[in-house]
Amino acid sequence: QVQLVESGGGLVQAGGSLRLSCAASGSISSINAKAWYRQAPGKQRELVAVITSGGSTNYADSVKGRFTISRDNAKKTVYLQMNSLKPEDTAVYYCHADVEVATNSREYDYWGQGTQVTVSS
């Protein structure tokens, strides 16, 4: 059983910052790509940022220069530092990971439960 647990969401004023964390636990051999997605009310879930096992990153155009994704492999944790937040960043943020499970060496997709980020104007 693999779990992803997010934390760090909350309410912040426009221009403020938040740092999201996503910790993986369970029967894990390795974690490949990890990513953050978000879903605003009435909208489809969208990719915000992704980081590979080698540390390469990619961002949605809407967050480039404001958000930074990073990972601590020893802690099996990925972070999303969000600066200069805007009201349009308001959404539920979900952590995703491609995990090789130790029990059978197969790779599966896992999602966190989501954490609410609300940016007030």
Side-chain angles (χ1 to χ4, degrees):
Q1 186 79 11
V2 173
Q3 284 189 319
L4 302 181
V5 179
E6 299 129 335
S7 60
L11 174 64
V12 65
Q13 287 189 331
S17 298
L18 283 173
R19 187 193 194 208
L20 305 183
S21 299
C22 173
S25 63
S27 179
I28 298 170
S29 289
S30 64
I31 301 174
N32 300 318
K34 298 191 80 172
W36 288 95
Y37 287 75
R38 67 186 180 187
Q39 187 166 17
K43 295 189 177 181
Q44 289 188 331
R45 190 173 296 189
E46 63 174 352
L47 177 65
V48 175
V50 61
I51 184 167
T52 67
S53 58
S56 297
T57 59
N58 201 11
Y59 298 91
D61 287 343
S62 59
V63 307
K64 281 181 181 176
R66 299 188 298 122
F67 290 10
T68 302
I69 188 170
S70 61
R71 61 191 291 168
D72 184 330
N73 291 330
K75 295 182 178 179
K76 297 184 177 66
T77 300
V78 65
Y79 304 97
L80 185 68
Q81 178 66 43
M82 305 185 293
N83 298 329
S84 302
L85 282 161
K86 304 175 181 180
E88 51 263 44
D89 293 318
T90 295
V92 178
Y93 284 71
Y94 296 91
C95 175
H96 172 269
D98 296 325
V99 177
E100 182 177 313
V101 177
T103 53
N104 60 11
S105 298
R106 291 184 176 180
E107 190 171 299
Y108 299 91
D109 290 336
Y110 289 93
W111 291 90
Q113 80 284 359
T115 185
Q116 177 70 46
V117 171
T118 303
V119 185
S120 63
S121 57

